[in-house]
Amino acid sequence: MEQQKRYGHFDDNNREYVITDPQTPWPWINYLGNEDFFSLISNTAGGYSFYKDAKFRRITRYRYNNVPMDNGGRYFYIKDGDTVWNPGWKPCKTPLDFYECRHGMSYTRVTGRKNGVEASVLFFVPLKKWAEVQKLTLKNESNEVKNLKLFSFEEWCLWNAATDMENFQRNFSTGEVEIEGSTIYHKTEYRERRNHYAFYHVNTEIQGFDTDRETFVGLYNEFADPQVVMEGRPRNSHAHGWSPIASHYIEVTLKPGESKDFVFLLGYIENEQDKKFSAPQVINKDKAHALIAELDTTAKVDKAFAELCEYWDALLNIYKVRTGNDKLDRMVNIWNQYQCMVTFNFSRSASFFESGVGRGMGFRDSNQDLVGFVHQIPPRARQRIIDIASTQFPDGGCYHQYQPLTKRGNNDIGGGFNDDPCWLIFGTVAYIKETGDFSILDEMVPFDNQPGSEVTLFEHLKISMDHVIKNLGPHMLPLIGRADWNDCLNLNCFSWDPNESFQTTENVSEGTKAESLMIAGLFVVTGKDYVALCNKIEELKNGKIDNFNSSTLKSFNFSAEAERMQKAVDAMIEAVKKHGWDGEWYLRAYDFYGNKIGSNECEEAKIFIESQGWCTMAEIGAEDGMVAKSLDSCKKYLECEHGMVLNNPAFTKYIYEYGEISSYPEGYKENAGIFCHNNPWVIIGECIAGRGNDAWSHYAKILPSYVEEKYQTLHKVEPYVNCQMVAGKDAFKPGEGKNSWLTGTAAWMWYTVSEFILGIKPDYDGIRIDPCLPETAGDYTVNRKFRDAEYEITIHPNGQQKGVKSVTLDGQKIDGTVIPYSAGKHTVEVVM
Ligand code: GLC
Ligand code: GLC
């Protein structure tokens, strides 16, 4: 077999992915920042930074879909005699003697060597700081004295990333900067309503600077050959309008063997309205000076970096597995958890496929993401749930998205996606099981952020369930609305106008019969969770604790509520069995007219994955063999070499009644792509059914470390994280990945492996042990911190795929499979 080219490899000890060739098949990126200040950084140091919101508070400029790809970023130009090069190879692309990019946990280190000089840059955002540190170390590895000219480069975005890219009649006149010592300040629009500015600083004296892009680059030059750098002579330009940038010029002399550190700092500052200026037209720099003072030496920066590493140690120590299989361990212990935190921070807003201007935080997306990080940062998960619920409407419907800066629902997209409400139960239940914190249900949460409209969070959950019940169609199945989880199944849209959005156009909803089996399954799963939650609260109210403050919850009859919802769940199960079964699999939907979608009777797209996933997870009709048949059909019709496709066969033509799904060419995205997000649903279905071999083989197909080698070139996108979509079997090039990083796949892969395959499930009273494994699995150990306890759990599968025979806690056999929670350290032995 032909040897595949390799662009990098895992370094598990350092928790890094090491890229050894800058010309990866696509930019392979990483994320910096954990709270307010964020950056995207590619393996050649491309990318950009923003504060909280990639649309409204963009700090540096980035041009998507550029030629060449990924041009623009934080660049260091080193001029050594006549040779100009960059540590990350781009933009000059001068051949390097050595190149390496190490993407780690919230940091990236890019190292280049050329003609006896090594330049290594460590990029990270210190915890709790509004700044990106770029620590550049220059080292002379030659035998001669080196006289180097160093130029830094950042290009400012005029804050609103959307208008920055289009409103040039204004933008070219508004840009403003100030220069003070070694700091360049960007203050566009500060004179009027903005109370924030940015700065770019270096902790050494500079011998010159530039702040005007055309002066620095030259109108007929490029980032690859900026005229100032090529000539080795800064112009000390002061930008007025046009495109402000920040470039420092530093002359560096290095003796043989000598090395020097330079700390560059890209910072963001907000001032109080009455303290904006220190003199007319002069920005108040006090806070900038203070921030710089915190990070102006190598020692201070190294300390901040050590703190960041400790932060990640702590996060990744909460769930740790040792199976002896490196490929599995590295995904579970490092990369899958890391990707989950990235989706927590960014939702679907900013990646190299999401421009940061389109979508904020998704209602359904963020609730699903929550299961990926709730064990690591429960207090922030709590806040997230409340933020999400605050965008709900009084009838249980909700805004589909909200902006992270304002936390307000996004009116451009609105609501009407009928799966959305159910996800709130999914997220909240995961939070309570992890933390045991029932008091969240007692939080007063508004509707649509309107002060005065607050009700308890529990009430939000209740109306969420009711929203489904009140919107049933002719088969007593849930009406789909604009779409369910599949944004592209637009059964009430009927659009012939290419300028209409499939998501927000609803031309024909009056009298619709369009129903969703995906929501039906989701309703049964979350409905059972809701019933269990009500029963648990009732138990706690009568027994151990009664910590609800609000009078509505104090007097609420939770057992009656559980009964009411159980009836609705049972009715839904009956409806699915009666109207949702096609003989070999579950139907996908009924269209506007009440015709079947995802049926053997259909010409194309006879079977869809979403309803197989949700209805098998819900175990609907298991006793009649439906679950097993459905899972078998997934293997037979959906599975291919790279995973399971969304539907089969793919649509070959646009179907006006179905909407966007049929707009995609065969094998891509929602039209028969391998939409990785929903593969875990079927895998969990397999686990619940006890079919460990099948679950594992589906799982390994989309586990990045398992396909790393094969995917170095075919897959194209980063081999250390999941992507949203891999081209399906009907595509022109099956196996090609797209839309990496920001996908619900991260959380679902985590949920699947941590709870259903390895079988460590947080529950109200403790940890439930219920693995589902391939028969080849050997013994393994999971170290799990849980509330104030720490468990070391060793599982002996003994060739069994499912079924726990005995659980021994601290040497004592226990009844059942739930390890009762108690603080402190415990050892658990599990025999299957
Ligand atoms: C995208 C969206 C998600 C949706 C999915 C399927 O990933 O972020 O909300 O469920 O596509 O259409
Ligand atoms: C498109 C994409 C889908 C995404 C939606 C919302 O329809 O195919 O994946 O969820 O846009 O932005």
Side-chain angles (χ1 to χ4, degrees), residues 43-326:
N43 57 306
T44 55
Y48 60 91
S49 304
F50 62 92
Y51 170 80
K52 280 191 183 170
D53 193 310
K55 178 176 181 180
F56 290 126
R57 234 18 93 73
R58 186 79 65 99
I59 296 170
T60 54
R61 183 174 282 166
Y62 192 74
R63 296 167 191 79
Y64 277 90
N65 200 6
N66 208 350
V67 179
M69 190 59 198
D70 186 30
N71 231 22
R74 55 294 265 171
Y75 290 142
F76 293 104
Y77 296 89
I78 298 164
K79 186 161 163 48
D80 179 4
D82 287 336
T83 308
V84 178
W85 59 283
N86 315 100
W89 184 63
K90 281 187 75 170
C92 292
K93 298 194 280 181
T94 306
L96 298 177
D97 301 333
F98 173 85
Y99 159 88
E100 185 183 86
C101 166
R102 289 177 170 263
H103 284 319
M105 305 290 104
S106 301
Y107 70 88
T108 287
R109 196 190 296 271
V110 176
T111 304
R113 277 187 218 136
K114 183 75 188 170
N115 298 343
V117 175
E118 180 181 280
S120 190
V121 200
L122 172 66
F123 298 92
F124 71 102
V125 174
L127 296 172
K128 312 271 174 214
K129 299 273 191 286
W130 292 353
E132 177 184 304
V133 168
Q134 305 162 354
K135 184 183 127 189
L136 166 67
T137 306
L138 285 177
K139 188 169 179 204
N140 183 357
E141 296 179 332
S142 79
N143 299 322
E144 317 145 23
V145 173
K146 287 274 184 187
N147 290 306
L148 308 173
K149 294 180 170 183
L150 172 67
F151 298 83
S152 68
F153 175 82
E154 295 267 10
E155 182 176 7
W156 302 114
C157 179
L158 307 187
W159 302 114
N160 180 323
T163 55
D164 182 65
M165 283 294 154
E166 54 187 37
N167 193 6
F168 303 112
Q169 60 80 24
R170 170 179 163 85
N171 296 349
F172 285 170
S173 296
T174 55
E176 289 190 292
V177 297
E178 279 182 36
I179 302 122
E180 180 199 64
S182 300
T183 314
I184 295 161
Y185 292 87
H186 176 228
K187 60 168 187 178
T188 300
E189 292 186 346
Y190 190 80
R191 61 167 57 229
E192 28 118 354
R193 293 160 298 174
R194 294 193 183 275
N195 66 342
H196 44 268
Y197 61 82
F199 66 83
Y200 194 36
H201 166 83
V202 59
N203 70 339
T204 188
E205 247 178 56
I206 56 175
Q207 284 72 53
F209 60 85
D210 274 289
T211 67
D212 176 62
R213 191 185 69 201
E214 261 66 77
T215 308
F216 179 80
V217 177
L219 195 54
Y220 298 99
N221 296 46
E222 299 170 22
F223 289 147
D225 62 348
Q227 64 180 11
V228 155
V229 178
M230 292 299 132
E231 291 169 18
R233 191 169 59 86
R235 303 292 202 280
N236 298 340
S237 59
H238 192 127
H240 296 278
W242 303 109
S243 289
I245 59 151
S247 171
H248 305 97
Y249 169 68
I250 306 168
E251 291 170 357
V252 188
T253 302
L254 291 175
K255 288 189 245 110
E258 191 184 3
S259 87
K260 277 186 186 160
D261 289 338
F262 302 87
V263 179
F264 291 84
L265 199 65
L266 177 72
Y268 170 86
I269 299 293
E270 280 180 2
N271 274 336
E272 292 76 36
Q273 203 57 33
D274 57 341
K275 297 203 183 90
K276 278 178 68 173
F277 300 96
S278 61
Q281 305 239 344
V282 179
I283 57 177
N284 178 347
K285 304 185 182 65
D286 290 352
K287 288 189 186 175
H289 293 155
L291 178 53
I292 289 168
E294 291 171 34
L295 291 158
D296 60 352
T297 66
T298 299
K300 290 178 193 174
V301 163
D302 290 350
K303 185 160 171 279
F305 184 60
E307 283 164 10
L308 179 68
C309 295
E310 280 159 27
Y311 170 79
W312 274 104
D313 282 344
L315 289 180
L316 296 177
N317 264 333
I318 296 165
Y319 191 121
K320 259 191 152 156
V321 70
R322 274 169 288 149
T323 65
N325 171 351
D326 289 348

Side-chain angles (χ1 to χ4, degrees), residues 748-818:
W748 279 102
M749 286 295 272
W750 171 252
Y751 188 51
T752 301
V753 70
S754 64
E755 299 200 16
F756 292 90
I757 295 178
L758 298 173
I760 313 294
K761 294 168 77 69
D763 210 331
Y764 297 118
D765 298 325
I767 292 186
R768 184 180 298 278
I769 309 288
D770 187 16
C772 184
L773 304 160
E775 14 179 64
T776 50
D779 293 0
Y780 62 94
T781 302
V782 174
N783 288 85
R784 179 65 154 92
K785 294 200 172 130
F786 180 66
R787 304 178 200 169
D788 292 323
E790 258 184 81
Y791 297 95
E792 179 159 288
I793 307 165
T794 302
I795 316 247
H796 307 278
N798 294 323
Q800 300 301 311
Q801 295 184 52
K802 177 103 166 174
V804 169
K805 226 193 243 163
S806 74
V807 178
T808 310
L809 170 64
D810 298 326
Q812 299 281 332
K813 271 219 166 121
I814 61 166
D815 288 337
T817 55
V818 179

Side-chain angles (χ1 to χ4, degrees), residues 458-474:
F458 181 81
E459 186 74 13
H460 281 265
L461 301 191
K462 180 165 173 277
I463 61 165
S464 295
M465 299 299 319
D466 284 339
H467 189 264
V468 178
I469 300 171
K470 288 184 185 153
N471 288 283
L472 296 177

Side-chain angles (χ1 to χ4, degrees), residues 348 354 359 362 364-365 368 400 419 484-488 646 669-670 675 677 681 724 742-744:
R348 305 297 171 267
E354 302 277 6
R359 310 201 278 161
R364 75 158 83 91
D365 294 333
Q368 292 170 80
H400 195 48
D419 63 316
D484 60 22
W485 170 87
N486 189 332
D487 274 330
C488 298
L646 191 147
K669 292 279 285 179
E670 281 89 340
F675 217 94
H677 187 141
W681 299 345
Q724 181 206 57
L742 301 184
T743 161

Side-chain angles (χ1 to χ4, degrees), residues 361-367 388 391 398-401 420-421 424:
M361 315 294 282
F363 192 98
R364 75 158 83 91
D365 294 333
S366 293
N367 272 303
I388 297 170
T391 64
C398 24
Y399 275 111
H400 195 48
Q401 288 160 12
D420 273 338
L424 188 62

